[in-house]
Each structure stands twice: as structure tokens, then as C-alpha cells.
Amino acid sequence: MESLKNKLVRFMTGRYGIDQLYYLGLFMGLGAMMINLKVDSLVLTIFSDGLILLVLLRSFSRNISRRRMENEKFMRLWNPVKKATRILVRRIKGIGRYRYRKCPHCKKTLQLPIKRGKHTVKCPTCQEKFEVRVIV
Ligand SMILES: [Zn+2]
């Protein structure tokens, strides 16, 4: 008798599987389900169930190249959001310890220690010097 694991492995052979778009769809679907516990809306039920069904069907798809292209399009949109979120979290963690200023030459954001007053800063990227003023 074949084990359940072997059956699952045989079923998933040649199928797309899980990617970042799968996790987003699952997360949104489960989030909508949680909200629907409080709201109890038919539209939200259809949305959450449809979304979860869609991501499951997508993971079972045999059209791997198309699913991969969909995920690449999603990642092109998602990566800037991810990067901006990471920068925002780093800035929030640095409140009280650092100030952030943009280099006027290369537009790179620099993390500077808090020293009140006017200072000359040398950008580590473009090696240009510029004035910064830290008031608080
Ligand atoms: Zn620079």
C-alpha cells in the first residue's frame, strides 16, 4: 500500500507549487475570513473563499511557465514595497539615535548620528561633501 506522502509527491509532480503570490493570496484570504467573522458579509465570504480557491488551483497548475511569469510580475511590484517597508522599520528603530539626510549629489539616504548644529558630511557612496544641520 502506497503511503499518503508518496501519493502527494506523485500528485504534485509536474505542478507549479507554492510561491510568494500564493502566500499573499492565502494571507489576504485568511485575513478576509477573520474580518468576516466580525462583519458576516456574503461578499466577503465569496471574496475570501474565492481567493483561497484561486491560490490553491494556481499551485496545482501544470502551466509552470505562465505561473512563474505571474509571480515575476508580482515580485516587480512587491520588491519596492518590501524595500520601502524595511527602510521605514529601520528608521523607526533608529528614532532617538540617528537622523537621516539625503545626499544632494547621489540622492542616497545617509544615517547620521545625532550631533546638534551644522556639520560637514562626506557621503560614503559618491565621496562628495555637503552641509547638514541637525536641530533636534
Ligand atoms: Zn552621495
Side-chain angles (χ1 to χ4, degrees):
M1 191 172 143
E2 196 175 10
S3 72
L4 185 65
K5 184 184 172 190
N6 286 343
K7 282 182 183 176
L8 188 65
V9 166
R10 205 153 41 88
F11 176 73
M12 287 306 289
T13 303
R15 296 182 190 270
Y16 184 64
I18 294 171
D19 60 4
Q20 291 88 353
L21 194 54
Y22 172 89
Y23 285 117
L24 176 74
L26 195 66
F27 181 75
M28 284 177 63
L30 291 175
M33 269 185 183
M34 298 297 262
I35 292 169
N36 201 24
L37 289 175
K38 289 280 181 193
V39 179
D40 197 25
S41 154
L42 179 66
V43 175
L44 212 53
T45 303
I46 292 169
F47 173 75
S48 63
D49 292 357
L51 196 60
I52 289 173
L53 183 68
L54 188 73
V55 294
L56 283 175
L57 291 176
R58 205 177 154 272
S59 70
F60 297 148
S61 171
R62 289 186 188 273
N63 194 348
I64 292 173
S65 63
R66 183 141 186 178
R67 299 293 88 82
R68 195 169 285 160
M69 276 176 38
E70 289 168 357
N71 194 53
E72 281 176 17
K73 281 182 186 172
F74 164 69
M75 290 309 288
R76 262 183 254 135
L77 296 172
W78 177 247
N79 280 337
V81 174
K82 188 175 159 187
K83 185 180 175 187
T85 306
R86 196 179 311 133
I87 289 170
L88 182 68
V89 168
R90 200 174 74 198
R91 279 188 175 203
I92 289 170
K93 282 182 180 175
I95 287 177
R97 289 185 294 157
Y98 303 106
R99 290 293 178 260
Y100 297 89
R101 298 291 185 268
K102 262 194 175 154
C103 171
H105 307 285
C106 69
K107 308 297 180 203
K108 178 128 180 139
T109 303
L110 306 178
Q111 182 180 348
L112 306 169
I114 296 176
K115 280 188 200 168
R116 288 186 183 161
K118 240 180 174 179
H119 306 283
T120 304
V121 175
K122 185 180 177 186
C123 175
T125 306
C126 66
Q127 309 299 322
E128 293 285 335
K129 289 181 179 176
F130 61 97
E131 291 276 319
V132 293
R133 186 184 302 169
V134 177
I135 298 167
V136 180

